[in-house]
Amino acid sequence: MFMQKIFLPFLLVFCCNLFVAAQPEAYIESNYDPHALFSPLFYPNGETITRAATGEPNTGYWQNRADYQIDASLNDTAHEIKGSVTITYKNNSPQALPFLWLQLDQNLFNKDSRGQARMPFDSRSRYGDSKSSFNGGYKITAVKNLNTNTAADYIITDTRMQVRLQNPVKPAGDIIKLKIDFSFTMPEYGADRSGILKTKNGEIFAVAQWYPRMCVFDDVQGWNTEPYLGPSEFYLEYGDFDIALTVPASHIVVCSGELQNAAAVLTATQLQRFEEAKKSDKTVMIRTEKEVTDPSSRPAATTLTWKFKMTNTRDVAWASAKSFIWDAAKINLPSGKTSLAMSVYPAESSGKKGWGRATEYTKGSVENYSKRWYEYPYPVAANVASNVSGMEYPGIVFCGNKAQTIGLFGVTDHEFGHTWFPMIVGSNERKYGWMDEGFNTFINSLADDDFNKGEYKQPKTSMEYTAGSIFGEYSETVLSTPDAMMEANIGNALYRKPGYGLELLRNEVLGADRFDYAFKTYINRWAFKHPTPWDFFRTMDNAAGENLSWFWKGWFVENYRLDQSIVAVNYDKNNAANGAVVTIANLQQMAMPVNISYETNSGKTGVVKLPVEVWNNTITWKVKLPTTEELKKVEIDAEKVFPDINFKNNTWQGNGK
């Protein structure tokens, strides 16, 4: 940045209605350097064989695949999950792989984990408690290479496992199978991503990050082995899942994917209602509140095994409880296909102000996003009331059990919005949390208007009160990794700021038509693939036909601030009949288009809109207003849609103020 002072000469003007009030001598200090913002060297590299300059996968794009067969059981007394997972891993890369890396995210809850070491001493974090006595993590009892039918050579480092192979997995399609036996004790509060909720009718188990998962091997970094520390989320390969969950017979289980053996785990009445719900636009009760305490509402057995199947997904999660009320309704998709919205919740959460409308919210959210962006790909959408405030997984979400009305709608809509980012568009959340949270925050802002004829429509955001939080003293860049951010900044840097940024692009820079076309192009290009931020930037530029590098740099890569101001208003040749010339300045390093509103003394109004290119090579700009009358008021961004940090210098009054 550089500092420049602009001198505006002293204007001596007689007090007459035909003239602008006298302008004082003014020195304007600006931190704006147009060469830094509009540099042509923004993009770090050109086209590669895997990623095109247009932002789409290139002809040589590849990604590996991981299929999972999981057999697990829940001991609801000991809070223990025990099972085995068979992983079929396919190497589509051009490299031979002499070793494999897996994620062991449950190891976060080991007292000696790196994540626990990062918990603050003097306050509780969302992601853990330094004073907790809980000591969890995996117990790995066997790792077997099924290709050789031998025990695998492996090491465990914190939340990662390396399997060292005698024979590398060959490139271009070779397959290896691993079988891992594991167990762990569930934490009551699992970093706000899983947990155990106590209710009057029994505990609710919300189970996630529960099986060893393959790390991603990609064309950008090779193996992505960043440890799980809590704030940063997940980066996973796609594949098919076959799941068998053995739980007490008194429990109801909901899981990612489609239930395969409903007749074996439901009563005849529940099975009838379950099938009815698949055809009903209205919510159907599968298990009522009264039936929760009725032993006959579950089959007579000690344990039952629930079987689920899910295809082309990056993950699965599940929930189990004897206290579940269960309802469901049909989801109508644009193609004519259907899915099933369902909700499970305890008696304490029921009622029309609470979870009695959860399935309605789920159905509305999925149908809306399917229509706007990309069709929902999963057979179910399950909403679980839990002690998790809000967390997303493919086909299932965990939401706060105490949420009601607009709060429940908001968290439901947000968590199911994650179906599109990062479940369909499989970005690297571990590094780029904004590519799921920020994108989702943006699509949520449109959904508020859509649901039930605007029942929960929110007032338009005024940047007059928002800019200060976006560009606070301790704010961090959007492209910072979540683990490297102060926890207090995560809400702004990952959610609000990128969400507002996309709203700005849509509403003020590109317009809805161009933006929506480009955004949908991005989703379609990268559905079930692994985009980087640069793939997103390039796709938006190319599909919208606009070089937006100035915006990506200022809003996402850097933490530039915006301050546009009115410097002076003068009548041409000191005569209002000749029109008025407005001098504006850009005082900080960010730039935006400029909307100049004006009002004459007779009450006539107008708006002059300037593109961002007026700031290409200058700090100040002059524009002539299309008026021949005396001016009462001139204002930059009267509707306050841009994140200006100082709206006080945006207005000129006809009396010289």
Side-chain angles (χ1 to χ4, degrees), residues 199-212:
T199 78
K200 65 181 181 181
N201 295 319
E203 294 174 318
I204 294 174
F205 296 85
V207 188
Q209 290 89 252
W210 58 286
Y211 59 96

Side-chain angles (χ1 to χ4, degrees), residues 361-382:
Y361 299 153
T362 300
K363 171 182 168 69
S365 177
V366 172
E367 289 180 347
N368 180 45
Y369 293 133
S370 294
K371 183 179 179 180
R372 274 191 177 274
W373 306 117
Y374 189 98
E375 185 164 293
Y376 188 75
Y378 308 131
V380 299

Side-chain angles (χ1 to χ4, degrees), residues 426-548:
S427 56
N428 186 345
E429 299 177 275
R430 197 77 109 219
K431 287 185 175 181
Y432 310 116
W434 63 274
M435 293 184 76
D436 69 291
E437 297 296 357
F439 289 6
N440 191 25
T441 299
F442 162 70
I443 65 173
N444 296 159
S445 70
L446 301 177
D448 292 345
D449 296 348
D450 296 333
F451 177 75
N452 197 26
K453 301 179 180 179
E455 178 181 356
Y456 295 126
K457 184 176 182 178
Q458 298 298 295
K460 190 175 181 180
T461 301
S462 172
M463 286 295 169
E464 183 175 14
Y465 307 103
T466 305
S469 64
I470 291 178
F471 302 112
E473 182 179 359
Y474 301 106
S475 55
E476 297 172 76
T477 62
V478 171
L479 270 180
S480 301
T481 64
D483 287 330
M485 291 179 183
M486 292 187 292
E487 190 170 333
N489 285 341
I490 287 176
N492 179 57
L494 298 190
Y495 294 72
R496 288 188 294 275
K497 188 177 179 183
Y500 288 142
L502 295 182
E503 287 187 55
L504 278 175
L505 278 183
R506 185 177 192 265
N507 299 332
E508 308 302 329
V509 179
L510 296 177
D513 181 81
R514 292 169 71 199
F515 179 95
D516 290 357
Y517 179 81
F519 200 59
K520 285 191 282 190
T521 298
Y522 169 71
I523 295 172
N524 278 278
R525 282 178 173 180
W526 291 99
F528 311 105
K529 296 181 178 69
H530 298 315
T532 69
W534 308 106
D535 298 316
F536 172 66
F537 298 155
R538 291 175 182 273
T539 292
M540 294 297 293
D541 283 11
N542 280 266
E546 199 76 37
N547 182 355
L548 297 168

Side-chain angles (χ1 to χ4, degrees), residues 567-640:
V567 175
V569 178
N570 297 286
Y571 295 131
D572 190 7
K573 299 178 182 178
N574 292 332
N575 188 341
N578 296 327
V581 177
V582 180
T583 303
I584 59 176
N586 201 39
L587 304 182
Q588 295 292 338
Q589 189 53 55
M590 190 62 189
M592 286 287 172
V594 188
N595 298 336
I596 303 175
S597 305
Y598 61 91
E599 181 183 359
T600 69
N601 286 341
S602 68
K604 294 180 180 179
T605 60
V607 179
V608 174
K609 294 191 174 186
L610 304 176
V612 72
E613 284 81 6
V614 299
W615 304 121
N616 266 348
N617 58 4
T618 187
I619 293 172
T620 62
W621 190 256
K622 293 185 178 182
V623 59
K624 191 170 183 178
L625 301 181
T627 178
T628 56
E629 298 183 22
E630 297 173 29
L631 293 167
K632 179 181 179 181
K633 184 180 181 181
V634 181
E635 186 173 8
I636 293 176
D637 191 16
E639 296 185 355
K640 296 180 173 54

